[in-house]
Amino acid sequence: MTATRHGRRPPVSWLAVRPEGLLVVPAGVFVDPLRAVDRALVTHGHADHARPGSAHVGATEETLAIMRARYGAAAGGRLEPFAWGETRSLGGVDITFRPAGHVLGSAQIVLEHAGTRVVVTGDYKRTADPTCRGFEPVACDVLVTEATFGLPVFRHPPPAAEVAKLLDSLRLFPERAHAVGVYALGKCQRLIALLRAAGYDRPIYLHGALVALCELYEAWGVSLGPLLPASAAAKADLAGAIVLAPPSALADRWARRLPDPVVAAASGWMRVRQRARQRGVELPLVISDHADWPELLATVEDTDPAEVWVTHGREDALVHAVRQTGRAARALALVGFEDEPE
Amino acid sequence: MSVTAFALLIERLAFMPSRTGKLRLLEDHFRQAEDPDRGWALAALTGALSFPAVKAGAIRAAAAARLDPVLFAASYDFVGDLAETVALMWPDTGVSATAPSLAEAVERLTLSGRAEAPALLAAWLDRLDDSARVAFLKLVTGGLRVGVSARLAKTALARFGGRAPEEIEEVWHGLAPPYRDLFAWLDGRAGRPQVNHAATFRPLMLATPLEDTEAAALDLSAYAAEWKWDGIRVQLVAGADVRRIFSRTGDDITPAFPDIARHMAFDAVLDGELLVARPGAEAGSGSGSGSGSNGAAAEIAPFNDLQQRLNRKTVTRRMLAEHPAWVRLYDILFEAGEDLRGLAFTDRRARLEAWFARIRPQCMDLSPLVAFAGLEELAALRRGARGRAIEGLMLKRRDSAYVGGRPKGPWFKWKRGPLTLDTVLMYAQRGHGKRSSYYSDFTFGAWREVAGGGRELVPVGKAYFGFTDAELVDLDRWVRTHTTDRFGPVRAVEPRLVLEVAFDSVHRSSRHKSGVAMRFPRVHRIRWDKPAEDADALATLEAMIAE
């Protein structure tokens, strides 16, 4: 591996950054590669992490199901499921999948070789989420972490309080549709689950792009309550109803079917007002599936690595903060992971 | 109620685009919150609170004492707003259960001195959760920016109490935060508050627009004519111990115009137009005209100059010198406590002229009556009214009493025809609220010669009304099918569609790339038929500048 941008060689010589992504050298396998490769390990089903077309794809059962639902036969050549906690050896590297708490099936990948343990978190969060397995901290020598919300301004409030804002707006504006922009995988189902937990039992209307993954979640035992397609509903039925759609649809002609909509968005970015305003959001809900700043720092403490590598996001602030704890830290500057939507 | 409940209100208002939505949020808040916090909230929203000791510097100082400078700089870069950055990254102490009430915060800050402000801020921030911190910092620095005018807040109060807006207006300026007596009245627990009427705003009499066709049908002999001045409407209220300048909506703008207030040594309520005079024009002050048609004393500067003086809480000496304010009077409502509003216009005008001749206030003159023989002459006067500070004509029934609100018939405004320019659509931006799925804000440009030959389009303005709903659908479709580039919510389009834009006037502006700024631009016609090459040049627009 070449020298890092900080001019030091990493203590782990069996991981390398290549144009395709992070390579586990002895195993010949990439973690979340940017394009189709011979062997891929995939942390979770979001499109910027799970690309189609690799010859061998190792991932959790749930993630493989999501990839199959999205890509069909193009998902990959051989799909090789890993059970939670099961360890397999490849080229002398022990590989184990542990829950990351991001979305259904999302995993951290634990890599052990030559007496060193590396944990690649993938995207993760520490807040409880009824739609997926919770994050399990794994002690390690090198923590390879995301930093989507790697600035101290990002502290996600309790999600129940954000959902209460949505329900309060429904009370104030019972004649208006409440249209929430959500990502199809994860945020959509989590928001539904949060609404159900808050006692909201009326049907929730879905944009067509969200239906398939909600059905998949149901099939995996995540119960979401009554859901109806928004496209089949009469305009009058949508008054005072909650409608979920991809953010792009809400800013587009699709939204014209909605009666005087309150445009809401559920995202960690909503914490910064200007971001919310730019997106024309009337009701910002700070609900994120990524670790916020305190969770990023807590995870470093909990896993106690000698060194932290930051894959993507706002790396500089996190690298600075980790170094202040006496650990080595550097930015891998992996490209290709999306900043937005979450 | 703690600061937290106020913060929630501020948050919702900041993101609520519609007026009715804002009204509902406010009404709901007045119902749910308690005294005195709801009164302090009202004061904060209407701009009645200020804490001179707490400036942005105090926030910076508090931040420097508590936050890592590297992390602060990175965060500030990302967020772009000082108060919000500090609020969002302030360490959580987990003691939000002891959040102060709004009243406690306001009372303590009012007494604070500049030196203790940073420490005081830090102590409050420790006691708040993060959403409350944003609202709190916006509150103390006076920059709520949630799109609520005093007028809107008063309308919400009227709805909350089931009263007419005029009833609120009548008492409003005699009240002070936290408005316990006002809320007691609106709750139905007490009678209407007794206020010192000497200091209150009286609802203004407003004119209805006159269409050209209606003008012909009017019995013009019953009307007096005046120029319609291109300034802002004000009401001057002065008495033994009070001097106030109110805007059209009843906002107290006295602090922004000390140059007028210092000359209000009289006992009267006057209606007039606030303008900006050319520096040095004060020499001619006091020599107001009578009812003749000759012009008034001051040389008036373009509206752009007046804009430098608007929306400011305080004013610098330099601004006073460069943009001296002037009031052109056209009506008198009270004189020495006597209510003249029931008198006919002609009688009030006589009282106004007699009063003016006696008092001769500095920095004020009378708006002259405009003599005319008939419709033809009046129409010619209106057409010729392209002068600097004139927007058209006012017609006032000679026998009409002064009635607050907008009664149809006694007063008309007959604006001169707008200027128009054929422009080319350059950018379109999505609207807000109901229009969020439509490209409804249009930036248009005019041609300019480029050094070395050829022409380029330079943006000259932005318009978001003037078209029908059906036309908006067509424009939206056109934008989507002619997009060349996207920047977030903005699309650049092929320079092919000609928009005929109407506007009231055009001024020089150093803030715009084109060097000019239009007033009230709107889409007059969509010229689907016209080739973009035939649209107007920037030079054509420049020639329309009213110097």
Side-chain angles (χ1 to χ4, degrees), chain A residues 150-157 165 168-169 171-176 178 248-256 260-263 269-284 293 314 316-318 320-321 324 339, chain B residues 8 10-12 14-18 20-22 24-25 28 32 68 70-72 74-75 78-79 84-85 87-92 130-131 133-135 138 144-146 430-434 436-439 473 476-477 480 489 491:
Chain A
L151 280 175
V153 293
F154 290 111
R155 275 192 303 242
H156 308 323
K165 280 188 201 166
D168 193 50
S169 178
R171 174 184 67 79
L172 259 180
F173 301 102
E175 76 288 1
R176 302 178 68 186
H178 282 60
S248 55
L250 291 183
D252 212 326
R253 283 163 286 189
W254 186 85
R256 290 179 199 170
D260 192 12
V262 174
V263 176
W269 303 112
M270 291 298 111
R271 191 161 154 87
V272 177
R273 281 183 181 205
Q274 196 51 34
R275 283 279 179 129
R277 289 228 181 91
Q278 273 166 3
R279 282 175 51 173
V281 169
E282 183 176 330
L283 182 66
W293 177 257
R314 260 133 286 278
D316 295 348
L318 186 59
H320 170 82
Q324 288 191 323
D339 207 21
Chain B
L8 267 178
I10 293 305
E11 202 67 10
R12 294 300 312 281
F15 287 101
M16 170 61 67
S18 87
T20 48
K22 285 188 160 106
R24 214 182 298 181
L25 288 170
D28 191 56
Q32 309 252 345
D68 178 303
V70 174
L71 296 179
F72 175 74
S75 298
F78 181 85
V79 176
E84 192 174 350
T85 307
L88 292 179
M89 69 179 290
W90 196 261
D92 260 324
D130 36 25
S131 75
R133 282 194 293 263
V134 180
K138 298 273 175 191
L144 285 179
R145 294 207 186 86
V146 292
R430 276 200 300 268
H432 291 281
K434 283 180 185 177
S436 58
S437 70
Y438 291 93
Y439 285 89
V473 171
D476 177 77
R477 186 178 306 124
R480 290 172 192 279
R491 289 189 182 205

Side-chain angles (χ1 to χ4, degrees), chain B residues 190-259:
Chain B
R192 186 163 133 160
Q194 295 302 308
V195 299
N196 171 13
H197 278 275
T200 59
F201 169 75
R202 276 81 179 183
L204 293 176
M205 181 160 179
L206 303 172
T208 47
L210 186 68
E211 300 301 326
D212 292 8
T213 49
E214 295 172 322
L218 220 53
D219 173 15
L220 287 173
S221 64
Y223 287 83
E226 294 171 21
W227 296 117
K228 180 170 174 16
W229 301 106
D230 188 12
I232 66 162
R233 186 88 176 269
V234 287
Q235 183 173 94
L236 306 184
V237 179
D241 51 358
V242 58
R243 289 180 190 188
R244 294 227 173 128
I245 305 169
F246 294 113
S247 73
R248 208 185 89 127
T249 50
D251 292 330
D252 184 351
I253 55 171
T254 320
F257 297 96
D259 41 349

Side-chain angles (χ1 to χ4, degrees), chain B residues 65-395:
Chain B
R66 287 287 281 278
L67 305 175
D68 178 303
V70 174
L71 296 179
F72 175 74
S75 298
Y76 192 15
D77 272 357
F78 181 85
V79 176
D81 177 283
L82 175 69
E84 192 174 350
T85 307
V86 172
L88 292 179
M89 69 179 290
W90 196 261
D92 260 324
T93 53
V95 290
S96 62
T98 62
S101 72
L102 188 55
E104 186 187 347
V106 167
E107 283 155 16
R108 183 71 186 81
L109 279 164
T110 309
L111 301 172
S112 124
R114 188 160 297 214
E116 57 175 326
L120 189 59
L121 279 185
W124 293 115
L125 291 174
D126 281 341
R127 291 172 62 186
L128 297 170
D129 69 16
D130 36 25
S131 75
R133 282 194 293 263
V134 180
F136 175 72
L137 288 180
K138 298 273 175 191
L139 170 75
V140 300
T141 52
L144 285 179
R145 294 207 186 86
V146 292
V148 173
S149 63
R151 175 80 181 169
L152 192 75
K154 282 181 259 180
T155 306
L157 285 169
R159 290 189 181 200
F160 161 65
R163 301 276 164 184
E166 291 76 24
E167 286 186 87
I168 308 287
E169 207 62 81
E170 288 278 324
V171 297
W172 178 256
H173 291 282
L175 303 173
Y179 308 107
R180 284 179 191 273
D181 44 356
L182 172 70
F183 281 108
W185 172 47
L186 296 178
D187 282 344
R189 290 182 283 113
R192 186 163 133 160
Q194 295 302 308
V195 299
N196 171 13
H197 278 275
T200 59
F201 169 75
R202 276 81 179 183
L204 293 176
M205 181 160 179
L206 303 172
T208 47
L210 186 68
E211 300 301 326
D212 292 8
T213 49
E214 295 172 322
L218 220 53
D219 173 15
L220 287 173
S221 64
Y223 287 83
E226 294 171 21
W227 296 117
K228 180 170 174 16
W229 301 106
D230 188 12
I232 66 162
R233 186 88 176 269
V234 287
Q235 183 173 94
L236 306 184
V237 179
D241 51 358
V242 58
R243 289 180 190 188
R244 294 227 173 128
I245 305 169
F246 294 113
S247 73
R248 208 185 89 127
T249 50
D251 292 330
D252 184 351
I253 55 171
T254 320
F257 297 96
D259 41 349
I260 297 298
R262 73 192 182 93
H263 297 306
M264 288 167 58
F266 46 73
D267 185 355
V269 176
L270 303 160
D271 192 357
E273 199 84 0
L274 184 76
L275 302 158
V276 159
R278 288 287 195 203
E282 300 95 302
S285 63
S287 59
S289 67
S291 57
S293 63
N294 68 329
E299 192 195 341
I300 299 304
F303 187 81
N304 233 28
D305 289 39
L306 173 57
Q307 245 162 354
Q308 314 300 318
R309 294 283 308 264
L310 299 179
N311 302 320
R312 291 178 186 279
K313 281 210 165 126
T314 57
V315 62
T316 62
R317 194 171 302 179
R318 185 171 159 195
M319 245 183 269
L320 290 173
E322 289 181 358
H323 305 292
W326 190 269
V327 178
R328 189 149 282 173
L329 301 167
Y330 36 68
D331 217 321
I332 184 163
L333 281 62
F334 283 79
E335 183 182 356
E338 184 191 354
D339 189 347
L340 308 180
R341 291 179 291 180
L343 298 183
F345 171 80
T346 315
D347 299 331
R348 293 200 311 278
R349 177 77 198 188
R351 293 287 295 261
L352 175 66
E353 287 175 11
W355 176 88
F356 190 85
R358 197 170 67 250
I359 305 292
R360 299 211 158 258
Q362 303 271 299
C363 295
M364 295 177 208
D365 60 11
L366 291 184
S367 177
L369 293 179
V370 178
F372 66 99
L375 177 64
E376 221 164 281
E377 188 180 351
L378 198 62
L381 282 167
R382 168 174 166 267
R383 270 195 305 280
R386 190 60 77 186
R388 180 154 39 235
I390 296 177
E391 283 191 303
L393 288 167
M394 295 292 302
L395 298 178

Side-chain angles (χ1 to χ4, degrees), chain A residues 57 60 74 85 87 98 134 159 205 241 264 280 322:
Chain A
V57 181
T60 62
T87 299
R98 297 280 182 189
Y205 292 86
V322 170

Side-chain angles (χ1 to χ4, degrees), chain A residues 221-306:
Chain A
V222 180
S223 149
L224 300 174
L227 305 175
L228 293 173
S231 51
K235 198 164 186 171
D237 292 339
L238 299 178
I242 294 176
V243 182
L244 306 187
S248 55
L250 291 183
D252 212 326
R253 283 163 286 189
W254 186 85
R256 290 179 199 170
R257 73 191 64 227
L258 306 175
D260 192 12
V262 174
V263 176
S267 158
W269 303 112
M270 291 298 111
R271 191 161 154 87
V272 177
R273 281 183 181 205
Q274 196 51 34
R275 283 279 179 129
R277 289 228 181 91
Q278 273 166 3
R279 282 175 51 173
V281 169
E282 183 176 330
L283 182 66
L285 305 173
V286 188
I287 300 177
S288 176
D289 287 329
H290 290 271
D292 64 3
W293 177 257
E295 288 178 9
L296 290 169
L297 296 183
T299 303
V300 172
E301 288 300 316
D302 293 348
T303 57
D304 196 23

